Amino acid sequence: MLTRSEMSRYIDSTLLRPDATAEEIRRLCEEAARYRFFAVCVNPGRLELAARCLEAEEVKLCTVVGFPLGANATVIKVKEAETAMEAGATELDAVMNIGLFKDGNYRAVEEEVQGLARLVHDRGGILKIIIETGYLNPEEIRLATRLVAAGGADFVKTCTGFGPRGVAGDDIIYIRSSAPPSLKIKASGGIESYQQALGLIELGADRIGTSHARSIISELMEI
């Protein structure tokens, strides 16, 4: 059992819907500050607004890169990451090139992660790589995890929320079995309840990405 304040520090409160309004972004940031969520995650075009809303807060600012397909050219992803950090993001969730991975072009996948990690780390940020587990079998999840680790990312993240399914407990088990201790796990995709979030944490998730952060926290009474 985690207290409300303990659970809050696991949560990246997320709003990545393409139709999200400015008012919804402001409300997301206000809730994150009130509940002391670890971060908010918004689309790149909303970074400047979110940065203004969180200017005096401890909440981290996160955005996505190559989202949601991961199919952009590496040079585009790197430029997108650079622009996002200039706009105030300190954590980037970048989608792995799933097509290259399925081709067996593992060197290209690893080199892309390396390029992103170099840029993000040079600017003092955190890089999470989304491997979109819904497209991968268990051995592919393990292999993708090893490539993400070799590329120097800080986290492997399960899902975009726009793929064929959300996170499953087995995803965390497969990732944890292949991840070095230095590589953290962000579970995301369809996490809607406290019990679901807690179960993923107990399996080894270090961060929870969810668009249901307030409802998850509302299930808990502060202890």
Side-chain angles (χ1 to χ4, degrees):
M1 179 74 175
L2 295 176
T3 66
R4 176 182 288 188
S5 58
E6 288 169 340
M7 176 58 80
S8 291
R9 302 309 294 163
Y10 279 94
I11 290 177
D12 288 1
S13 185
T14 302
L15 181 51
L16 295 170
R17 289 191 350 260
D19 63 336
T21 66
E23 179 55 34
E24 288 177 304
I25 298 296
R26 293 188 189 97
R27 190 158 58 245
L28 179 84
C29 293
E30 290 169 1
E31 290 175 356
R34 181 184 313 130
Y35 295 114
R36 301 186 69 240
F37 295 138
F38 193 92
V40 297
C41 188
V42 297
N43 280 309
R46 293 301 193 182
L47 275 174
E48 292 185 6
L49 172 59
R52 290 195 301 271
C53 293
L54 296 172
E55 187 174 7
E57 307 296 341
E58 295 182 0
V59 180
K60 303 294 184 183
L61 183 55
C62 176
T63 193
V64 288
V65 171
F67 192 85
L69 302 178
N72 297 12
T74 297
V75 65
I76 301 300
K77 288 183 179 178
V78 170
K79 185 61 178 178
E80 190 177 3
E82 182 180 15
T83 302
M85 298 197 80
E86 289 173 353
T90 58
E91 300 202 356
L92 302 185
D93 292 12
V95 186
M96 179 182 75
N97 192 312
I98 302 161
L100 288 179
F101 180 85
K102 288 289 190 177
D103 287 343
N105 195 346
Y106 305 133
R107 174 173 291 184
V109 173
E110 183 179 334
E111 287 178 349
E112 180 173 276
V113 176
Q114 287 175 339
L116 288 166
R118 188 179 308 113
L119 182 144
V120 172
H121 293 157
D122 283 350
R123 289 160 173 76
I126 296 294
L127 176 65
K128 312 183 195 93
I129 299 294
I130 308 170
I131 62 173
E132 198 69 280
T133 54
Y135 289 119
L136 309 179
N137 63 41
E139 186 49 45
E140 288 175 325
I141 292 173
R142 295 185 185 99
L143 176 55
T145 298
R146 292 193 291 270
L147 292 173
V148 169
D154 303 286
F155 281 77
V156 60
K157 179 178 171 181
T158 57
C159 307
T160 61
F162 291 81
R165 64 168 174 82
V167 63
D170 283 348
D171 295 338
I172 307 303
I173 294 171
Y174 301 142
I175 292 169
R176 183 51 69 200
S177 70
S178 298
S182 59
L183 185 65
K184 297 181 179 179
I185 301 173
K186 179 175 174 178
S188 63
I191 303 172
E192 300 181 3
S193 71
Y194 166 76
Q195 286 299 330
Q196 187 181 7
L198 179 63
L200 294 165
I201 291 167
E202 290 176 340
L203 288 172
D206 301 282
R207 198 84 67 83
I208 299 293
T210 178
S211 58
H212 298 272
R214 184 176 64 175
S215 62
I216 288 172
I217 290 300
S218 296
E219 294 182 41
L220 293 168
M221 295 294 292
E222 184 58 272
I223 295 176

